[in-house]
Amino acid sequence: MSKQACRLILALDLPDSPSAFDILEKTSGRLEWVKIGMQMYYKYGAQFVNDVSRMGYKVFLDLKLYDIPNTVASAVKSLSDLPIGMLTLHASGGEEMMGRAVEAARETRPDLTLLAVTVLTSFDAPSLGATGVAANPADQVELLARLALKSGIKGLVCSPLELGRLSKVLPQDTVFVTPGVRPAGADLNEQKRVATPEDAAKAGAGYIVVGRPILKAPNPALAAEEITRQLEAAR
Ligand code: C5P
């Protein structure tokens, strides 16, 4: 059986819901997944998630939960009413926090994939050190990734740069979701450490997250289709 192709997730990083619906109408039928982050969720809430889902999209809700275990477990239960397929939380919240989140999802929404965020890519060694973490960022990423899996989490959000190392040392069924992806020749924006869709797929990504190369394309639907074609080709 051939391996399932890496899938595309559109990061819906837009200032307001009319611009989001405009893009989503254009990409309708050509794209399966969208990522809704804090920017849109805090402004429009559950209604927006429901509206996007009703348009036929699968939703990855990127809220990066981090709090005491009981609060995060309760948040997962509250969010379980929403039509979401993936939800993020911080691995640095610890084993108990992640474990309680996994239990809450199991009770309320066993189909929901929880994804752990390890070290934010905005950290470098000095800024991570300033928070009291002496390990170098790559080692800390691996440590937190292992902790997440130990807690029952099955998926990780990681940069293309971490993908190579993690996919070699972690179990084969770990789901890797990777932002920082740019089609060859595309504007990098402020992303520095990028991979092409093809390279990310070959390095083991199950999903790639792409925003501006689609959102700012003259024809977003075509841009999404072209990336999907590259992912299929990398299979
Ligand atoms: O527009 P662009 O393709 O750069 O958007 C990438 C998306 O992935 C954004 O929503 C951004 O917040 C997110 N992201 C990232 N790099 C990380 C983690 C998340 O670009 N390390």
Side-chain angles (χ1 to χ4, degrees):
M1 204 174 72
S2 72
K3 192 174 135 229
Q4 187 169 38
C6 173
R7 278 154 291 171
L8 170 63
I9 303 175
L10 170 64
L12 216 46
D13 297 327
L14 291 163
D16 52 47
S17 63
S19 21
F21 291 128
D22 180 49
I23 289 276
L24 293 176
E25 268 155 31
K26 289 180 180 146
T27 54
S28 177
R30 326 256 187 121
L31 181 74
E32 194 182 1
W33 281 92
V34 298
K35 177 171 92 78
I36 297 175
M38 296 179 197
Q39 184 182 6
M40 295 297 253
Y41 188 76
Y42 289 155
K43 193 161 179 172
Y44 298 111
Q47 181 64 46
F48 182 66
V49 174
N50 283 315
D51 289 344
V52 171
S53 166
R54 263 196 295 272
M55 290 178 82
Y57 291 97
K58 292 183 178 163
V59 178
F60 164 13
L61 190 59
D62 187 16
L63 295 184
K64 298 188 175 66
L65 305 179
Y66 180 103
D67 211 310
I68 59 170
N70 188 56
T71 301
V72 167
S74 306
V76 170
K77 284 183 186 166
S78 295
L79 293 168
S80 70
D81 291 341
L82 292 177
I84 54 175
M86 299 185 207
L87 174 67
T88 46
L89 74 179
H90 275 287
S92 50
E95 188 175 349
E96 191 188 344
M97 187 200 88
M98 289 188 280
R100 291 282 305 278
V102 168
E103 263 171 42
R106 223 174 257 148
E107 275 170 35
T108 53
R109 280 287 306 281
D111 60 316
L112 178 63
T113 301
L114 293 177
L115 300 171
V117 175
T118 56
V119 178
L120 294 172
T121 47
S122 47
F123 278 114
D124 56 13
S127 57
L128 190 62
T131 69
V133 178
N136 78 57
D139 291 342
Q140 183 67 4
V141 164
E142 187 178 331
L143 181 146
L144 288 172
R146 288 186 186 281
L147 190 67
L149 299 187
K150 193 169 164 226
S151 315
I153 301 264
K154 302 272 186 260
L156 299 165
V157 179
C158 66
S159 82
L161 227 67
E162 293 150 6
L163 195 55
R165 172 168 170 176
L166 293 180
S167 62
K168 279 191 199 85
V169 298
L170 298 180
Q172 278 216 324
D173 60 353
T174 309
V175 179
F176 295 101
V177 179
T178 309
V181 175
R182 288 291 179 269
D187 188 340
L188 299 188
N189 310 110
E190 82 290 1
Q191 298 275 21
K192 292 186 183 69
R193 302 180 303 168
V194 298
T196 63
E198 193 185 0
D199 288 344
K202 285 188 172 152
Y207 298 81
I208 57 168
V209 178
V210 179
R212 286 161 292 179
I214 297 173
L215 300 174
K216 292 190 185 299
N219 185 331
L222 266 187
E225 262 182 357
E226 174 55 22
I227 294 173
T228 303
R229 198 193 55 70
Q230 291 172 21
L231 294 174
E232 290 281 343
R235 194 196 314 218

